[in-house]
Amino acid sequence: MTTAIQFAVLGLGIGTAYTLLAQGLLLIHRGSGVINFAHGAVAMLGAYLYWQGRAGWGWDFGPAALLAVSVAAALGVATYHLVMRPLGRASALARVICTLGLFMLLQGVALLIWGPFPRTLDSDLPTALLDLGGVQVGTDKLLLLVIAVGLTAALWALSRYTPVGLAIRANAENPRAAATLGWSPHLLGGLTWGLGWGIAAVAGILIAPLVGVTVDGMPLLVIPVLAAALIGRLSSFWTTLAGAMVIGVLQSLVARYVDFVPGAMQAVPFLVILAVLVVRRRGVPSRSSGVQKLPTLGTGRIRWTWVAAFTAVATVLMAVVLEEALVIALGVTLSWGIVLLSVVALLGYTGQLSLAQFALGGVAALVAGRLVADLGMPFLAAMAVALVAVLAVGLLFALPALRTRGIDLAIVTLGLSATVSALVFTNGAVTGGYDGTPVGAQTLFGIDLDTIFYPRRWALLILVLFVVCALVVANVRRGSSGRRMIAVRTNERAAAALGVDVLRVKLFAFGFAAVVAGIGGIMVAFRNPTILYSEFDPFQSILAVGYAFIGGIGFVGGAPLGGTLVTGGFGTWLIHQFAPDASPAWLSTIGGLVVVLLALLHPDGMAGAQIQQFRHVVAWLRRGPAASPPVAPEPEPADLPARARPARLDVEGLVVRFGGVTAVAGASLTVASGRIVGLIGPNGAGKTTLIDAVTGFVVPAEGRVALAGADITRLPVHRRTRAGVSRSFQSLELFESSTVRENLAVASDPAGSRTYLTDLVASRRSPLTPAAVAAVRELGLEEFLDVPVNALSYGRRRLVAIARAVAGRPSVLLLDEPAAGLDAAETAELARVLRRLAESWEIGVLVVEHDMSFVMSLCDELVVLNFGHQIARGTPEEIRRDPKVVAAYLGAEHAGADRATVPAGSGER
C-alpha cells in the first residue's frame, strides 16, 4: 500500500507539469476558440531559451526566465494578430492545421539553433526529501504543486472577478456579444495568446528538470495536456487541474504495476481522451466568424496521354539519365507521396483530419517486415498480407470517427499514433529487435531490388506504385464513392438526408486511406536493410498532414509536391547542391513556415495555385480574357412527369423531448400521395423538430412514423431517405463548394456498396436521374448546372435545394420554409411547381412556411402546432376561422373577435 501511495505522489509531480501547460492551452481556447497543437513546442522553446540563458550565457535565474517568458509571450501575441486573426473566417480544421505548421516551425527552429541532442537543467527549486508518514516527497514536487494550484486559483479569480476575465468568458461564449459591450475580440485574443504562450514558457522552465529539454519529446507533451483540458471541458480551470493530476497519477501507477507492457504509461492520455470524447458524446467546441471556406478539390479527371508521358519520361530519367543521389531522393519523395495520397483521400475528400497516417504505414511495414524476416515470405506476398492487416487496423482507427469529427478526431488520432509508437514501435519483442527489423534485400519476379546495389530499381518500383495509387485515388474522386465522401466532408446532415450512409462512407475512407498509407509505409521502410521504426513516430504523421497541405490536400498532384520537402527527398538534394553542409532541420522549418503562409494566402496549396493559373491561361487562349464562362449544356431529355412511388406518410402521436422540455407533444398528421399539407404555427411551435423526428434526425420518445404502412420510426436517416422520405432544410445545407450538377448527382447515385469497389478500378459519371433532370427543367436551373452553388443568388440556391430533394424520386417531400428569400414572382412560380409535383408526379408534400398567403392558397390541409401541441387540423378555410389558431397567433384577447382570421404573413418559425 505504501508503494502505491509513493508512486501516486510521484504522479502528482507529473500532473503539476501537465497542469501548467494545460492552463495556458485552456486560456488560449477561451480567448480565440483555437486548439493550439503547438503548445508543447512553445514550452520546448521556453525551456531552450532558459537553458541558453543559464547554461550558455551564465545568467542568473531571473534574467534567463524573463528572457524565455517575454519572448514566448511576444511570439504568442504576434501569432494571434499575424496568423490566427486573419484566419477568423477559415474552417476550424484550417486553424488546426496552421497550429501544426507552428509545431513544425518551432521544432525546426530549435533543431537549427540547439541541435538534436538533449539538454539537461538542474532544478532551481530545493530538492530535499520530506518524510510524510513513510512516503518520500521531494520539496521541489511540493513547490511545483503549490505553483500549479496558485496559477489555477489566479486564472480562476481573473476569469470571475475582473472585468478583463469576465470579458474573456463572454468572448468565449459569444464574441459578437462581447464586442457590443465594448470589448474587442482581437484585443482579448491577443491577450490570451500572449498569456498562454508565456505560461507555456513558465511550464517549460519548471518541468525541464523533470523531463529534460528535448526537441522530440517535449512538443508531444501536448497529448496528455489535451487530455487534461478535455476533462475540464476546455472551460474549467479547476477541473483541468484535477484532470491533469489524475492523468499524472495514473501514468505513475501504470509505470509501476504494468511494467510488463512497454510503453503502457504513454497509452494513458490516449485512453483518457478517447473516454472523454466518445463517452461524453460532446465534441470540442470550435468558433469561427462568417461562412467557412473549405479547400478546393481537384476534379480527379485522368488525362491518359499526360499520365503515359509522365511515366515514360520519369522512367527514362530515373533509369539512365539522372545521378544516383537524385534518383534516391526522388524515390523518398514519391514514397512519402504515396502516404500523402492517403491524406488527400481522407482529409481532402472526406474532411477527416487523422494524425495517424504514418502510424498506419508503420503497422504495414511491421507486418511485412516480420513476415519477410521470420517466415522468409516473398516480398510481394508479405506486402499483400500486410495491406490486409493494415486495412483491418485502419477500420479500427475509424471507430473514433464514427462518434467524433474535426478537431476531436485530430486529438484522438494523435493520441492513438503516440500510443502505437510507444506500445509497438519501441517494443523489441514486437518488432523483432530493439534496433529494428532486419529484412535484407528483396526480389520481385526474379529481379534483385537491393537498395544498396540497385537503388534505381527500387526507385522505379516506387514510381510505378505511386502512379497506380494516384490513378486509384483519382478514380475514387470521380466516382460515386468520391461524391459521397465529398458530401460527408461538406455537410454530414445533408449527406444523410440524401440517402448517404455516413458511417459506411467513413469506414470506406479510413480503410482505403489505410491501405494507401500502408503501401507508402512499406516503401519508406524497405529502402533500408533494417526497418527503422523511428521513421513512424507521431511527428511524422504531423509532418504528413503539413506536407499534404503544402502540396494541396484536395489534389492528387499535391502529394508529390508536398513530398519534395521530406528529409532525404528532392528538397534535401536541392539544398545540398547549394549548401552541402546545411542541416536537414531547414526542411522542417521551411515546411512549417510554408504551411502557415499557405493557410493565410492560398489554402488550396501549391497544386491548387498552379491549376488555377493554368486554367486562367487556357481560358484566355481559348476565349480571350473578356470571354464569359460557358453555359452548361441542356440536360438530356426525360419523360415528364417523373412519377414517384405512391406512398402515404402517417405520423401518429409523436412526442419529442429534450431533457425536461417537450418540444412536440402528441402530433399526428397524414400526407397522402398527390396532397400538399401545410404545417404552421408561431415561433417555437415545434414545426422543424417535427420534421427532424419524421426524417430521423431526432429520435421521438413516443409515437409512430409509417410509410406505406411500414414502421420507419427507428430507421436511420439514410434508410428513411432511400425508403422514399426526402426533405429540404431551412438553412439549405447545400454542398456550397460543389456545382449544382454535383449536388444533384449525390442524390441521384444508386444505393449500395458495390461502387466502393468498382470505383477503385474504373469510375464512371453517373447520369442524373430522370426526376433530377425534370426538376432542373421545372425550376429553371439548366444553365446553372455547372456553376458552384456558392456563386448563385439566395433564391436560386433555394430552388437547388428543392431540386436536390426531388432528385431521388421520393414518395413524400418535406420542405422547411421553401419560400424564404424568394420574391413574389419566384414564390408564385414555386407554388406552381409544388402543385405540379403533387398532382402530376404524385408526390405527397409537407410544407413548413411562415408566408400565410402562400400556405393558404397552396395547401389542401393544414396542421397547426403551438408550443409543441397540435391545436388544429383541417382545410385552410377551417383553420383560418379556428379561434384556437387565432389565439395562438394574435393572443387570447383576440380569439373572440368577430370574423377573426389568421393574418397573412404571421406564423414565423
Side-chain angles (χ1 to χ4, degrees):
M1 184 65 181
T2 303
T3 303
I5 296 175
Q6 180 69 66
F7 275 87
V9 171
L10 291 175
L12 291 177
I14 303 173
T16 56
Y18 296 158
T19 299
L20 294 171
L21 278 170
Q23 303 297 20
L25 183 82
L26 176 57
L27 188 62
I28 288 174
H29 184 267
R30 277 192 161 204
S32 61
V34 177
I35 300 292
N36 182 22
F37 279 79
H39 206 65
V42 177
M44 172 206 68
L45 178 64
Y48 268 115
L49 288 171
Y50 177 73
W51 176 90
Q52 185 66 49
R54 292 284 277 163
W57 298 331
W59 291 2
D60 292 333
F61 169 81
L66 180 62
L67 169 71
V69 174
S70 59
V71 169
L75 289 175
V77 174
T79 298
Y80 175 78
H81 287 290
L82 298 179
V83 179
M84 293 301 161
R85 179 177 176 180
L87 288 176
R89 292 186 178 274
S91 66
L93 287 180
R95 296 197 295 273
V96 167
I97 291 174
C98 194
T99 66
L100 295 177
L102 293 171
F103 184 113
M104 297 164 57
L105 177 60
L106 292 174
Q107 190 177 54
V109 168
L111 279 170
L112 287 175
I113 297 176
W114 293 287
F117 303 107
R119 310 298 171 114
T120 59
L121 276 171
D122 294 328
S123 176
D124 290 292
L125 301 175
T127 58
L129 292 177
L130 300 177
D131 191 321
L132 301 178
V135 177
Q136 301 294 315
V137 183
T139 308
D140 55 339
K141 307 299 189 301
L142 286 177
L143 289 175
L144 281 175
L145 179 60
V146 170
I147 293 172
V149 174
L151 174 65
T152 302
L155 291 174
W156 172 78
L158 175 72
S159 67
R160 281 185 75 90
Y161 300 115
T162 67
V164 173
L166 293 172
I168 291 174
R169 290 178 62 191
N171 188 60
E173 297 180 9
N174 192 326
R176 293 185 178 180
T180 60
L181 297 176
W183 288 97
S184 167
H186 301 309
L187 173 64
L188 298 174
L191 176 64
T192 53
W193 273 78
L195 285 175
W197 280 42
I199 293 172
V202 172
I205 294 169
L206 293 176
I207 67 178
L210 297 176
V211 301
V213 186
T214 61
V215 174
D216 296 327
M218 198 172 260
L220 292 178
L221 288 175
V222 72
I223 298 173
V225 165
L226 282 169
L230 288 175
I231 291 175
R233 297 179 182 267
L234 289 166
S235 60
S236 170
F237 292 111
W238 288 112
T239 311
T240 298
L241 167 68
M245 294 302 174
V246 168
I247 293 171
V249 170
L250 287 175
Q251 283 190 308
S252 183
L253 292 175
V254 167
R256 170 62 180 87
Y257 293 105
V258 198
D259 55 348
F260 54 89
V261 180
M265 174 182 172
Q266 283 74 25
V268 171
F270 163 69
L271 295 176
V272 171
I273 290 171
L274 191 63
V276 170
L277 289 180
V278 176
V279 175
R280 184 182 285 173
R281 300 186 182 184
R282 182 178 178 182
V284 175
S286 61
R287 190 188 316 157
S288 62
S289 58
V291 178
Q292 298 185 12
K293 182 182 182 302
L294 296 172
T296 303
L297 299 179
T299 62
R301 179 183 175 187
I302 299 175
R303 295 174 172 83
W304 290 103
T305 303
W306 291 17
V307 172
F310 166 79
T311 305
V313 171
T315 300
V316 172
L317 291 175
M318 295 173 71
V320 296
V321 177
L322 301 178
E323 64 175 81
E324 193 171 274
L326 178 54
V327 172
I328 294 173
L330 290 174
V332 173
T333 289
L334 291 177
S335 60
W336 265 72
I338 297 174
V339 180
L340 300 191
L341 284 173
S342 75
V343 179
V344 170
L346 191 57
L347 175 56
Y349 296 168
T350 322
Q352 306 298 303
L353 177 54
S354 170
L355 296 177
Q357 290 310 101
F358 249 90
L360 290 168
V363 169
L366 172 63
V367 174
R370 292 303 302 268
L371 291 174
V372 169
D374 297 346
L375 302 181
M377 187 177 288
F379 173 69
L380 188 60
M383 185 175 180
V385 174
L387 294 183
V388 173
V390 83
L391 171 61
V393 176
L395 294 177
L396 289 176
F397 275 38
L399 294 181
L402 305 184
R403 300 285 294 274
T404 61
R405 70 184 76 174
I407 300 173
D408 312 1
L409 184 61
I411 295 172
V412 171
T413 52
L414 179 60
L416 190 55
S417 177
T419 301
V420 170
S421 179
L423 294 179
V424 179
F425 297 153
T426 60
N427 189 341
V430 176
T431 61
Y434 290 96
D435 295 326
T437 305
V439 293
Q442 307 305 310
T443 60
L444 184 64
F445 305 122
I447 301 173
D448 190 349
L449 297 177
D450 192 315
T451 56
I452 296 176
F453 296 103
Y454 306 107
R456 294 180 186 272
R457 296 179 184 178
W458 186 254
L460 288 173
L461 174 62
I462 294 174
L463 171 65
V464 171
L465 290 176
F466 174 81
V467 171
V468 171
C469 290
L471 291 175
V472 172
V473 172
N475 279 338
V476 169
R477 165 65 181 93
R478 297 195 320 279
S480 297
S481 53
R483 285 191 288 272
R484 294 168 188 165
M485 292 161 70
I486 295 168
V488 170
R489 163 199 190 242
T490 309
N491 190 317
E492 290 187 15
R493 278 171 53 88
L498 295 178
V500 174
D501 188 341
V502 174
L503 300 186
R504 187 175 298 180
V505 169
K506 289 185 177 182
L507 287 172
F508 169 77
F510 270 87
F512 173 61
V515 171
V516 176
I519 295 173
I522 292 172
M523 292 298 102
V524 169
F526 275 76
R527 77 175 188 270
N528 299 313
T530 299
I531 297 178
L532 304 175
Y533 294 99
S534 59
E535 295 185 299
F536 301 101
D537 64 36
F539 182 58
Q540 306 308 311
S541 293
I542 293 174
L543 288 178
V545 172
Y547 292 150
F549 186 79
I550 291 172
I553 58 174
F555 299 88
V556 171
L561 290 175
T564 58
L565 292 174
V566 174
T567 300
F570 176 75
T572 301
W573 177 86
L574 188 63
I575 289 176
H576 286 170
Q577 301 308 302
F578 300 97
D581 298 326
S583 168
W586 276 108
L587 287 175
S588 176
T589 307
I590 294 171
L593 183 61
V594 172
V595 167
V596 174
L597 292 177
L598 284 177
L600 292 169
L601 303 176
H602 208 296
D604 296 331
M606 296 166 60
Q610 293 175 5
I611 290 174
Q612 187 179 47
Q613 292 299 322
F614 177 78
R615 287 174 178 170
H616 286 328
V617 171
V618 170
W620 191 89
L621 292 175
R622 287 181 177 177
R623 304 190 305 270
S628 58
V631 176
E634 188 82 11
E636 296 178 2
D639 295 331
L640 297 177
R643 293 183 180 274
R645 298 158 290 178
R648 189 179 71 181
L649 176 70
D650 293 299
V651 178
E652 302 171 359
L654 209 63
V655 176
V656 179
R657 297 190 182 97
F658 299 106
V661 178
T662 300
V664 178
S668 299
L669 58 85
T670 297
V671 182
S673 298
R675 300 272 292 175
I676 301 178
V677 178
L679 183 62
I680 63 174
N683 283 335
K687 303 183 295 296
T688 297
T689 301
L690 178 60
I691 287 184
D692 285 343
V694 170
T695 53
F697 288 97
V698 173
V699 179
E702 301 175 20
R704 180 174 180 266
V705 180
L707 182 68
D711 192 340
I712 63 171
T713 310
R714 301 301 170 186
L715 290 183
V717 176
H718 69 279
R719 291 187 59 188
R720 298 192 196 200
T721 302
R722 295 297 182 184
V725 179
S726 184
R727 69 167 295 176
S728 70
F729 295 89
Q730 182 192 19
S731 55
L732 302 185
E733 311 232 9
L734 295 168
F735 309 133
E736 295 288 340
S737 59
S738 300
T739 64
V740 173
R741 187 192 301 276
E742 290 169 335
N743 270 265
L744 298 175
V746 175
S748 300
D749 282 330
S753 302
R754 185 173 59 88
T755 55
Y756 289 118
L757 296 177
T758 58
D759 283 348
L760 300 176
V761 181
S763 61
R764 62 185 183 86
R765 181 174 177 177
S766 299
L768 299 181
T769 61
V773 173
V776 166
R777 289 186 171 182
E778 288 279 2
L779 298 171
L781 297 172
E782 297 100 318
E783 64 180 296
F784 303 102
L785 275 175
D786 294 314
V787 177
V789 168
N790 54 19
L792 299 176
S793 67
Y794 182 78
R796 193 75 61 187
R797 290 161 66 204
R798 278 270 170 206
L799 300 180
V800 173
I802 297 173
R804 191 180 68 176
V806 172
R809 207 179 58 146
S811 302
V812 179
L813 180 63
L814 287 70
L815 302 176
D816 196 351
E817 300 197 17
L822 303 183
D823 59 26
E826 291 172 328
T827 300
E829 179 62 19
L830 174 63
R832 186 194 67 78
V833 170
L834 294 182
R835 177 52 61 184
R836 180 166 167 76
L837 289 176
E839 295 180 352
S840 300
W841 295 31
E842 298 184 3
I843 294 177
V845 182
L846 177 66
V847 178
V848 171
E849 184 54 62
H850 65 81
D851 187 337
M852 286 295 101
S853 59
F854 174 80
V855 171
M856 292 291 179
S857 62
L858 173 67
C859 295
D860 302 306
E861 182 183 12
L862 294 176
V863 175
V864 186
L865 297 181
N866 189 31
F867 293 110
H869 294 272
Q870 183 172 317
I871 61 173
R873 179 176 176 180
T875 65
E877 188 60 29
E878 292 171 344
I879 295 299
R880 184 188 298 274
R881 300 182 180 278
D882 191 307
K884 290 183 293 185
V885 176
V886 174
Y889 278 96
L890 301 180
E893 66 274 19
H894 300 297
D898 290 340
R899 300 185 61 82
T901 60
V902 177
S906 65
E908 296 172 4
R909 177 172 176 262

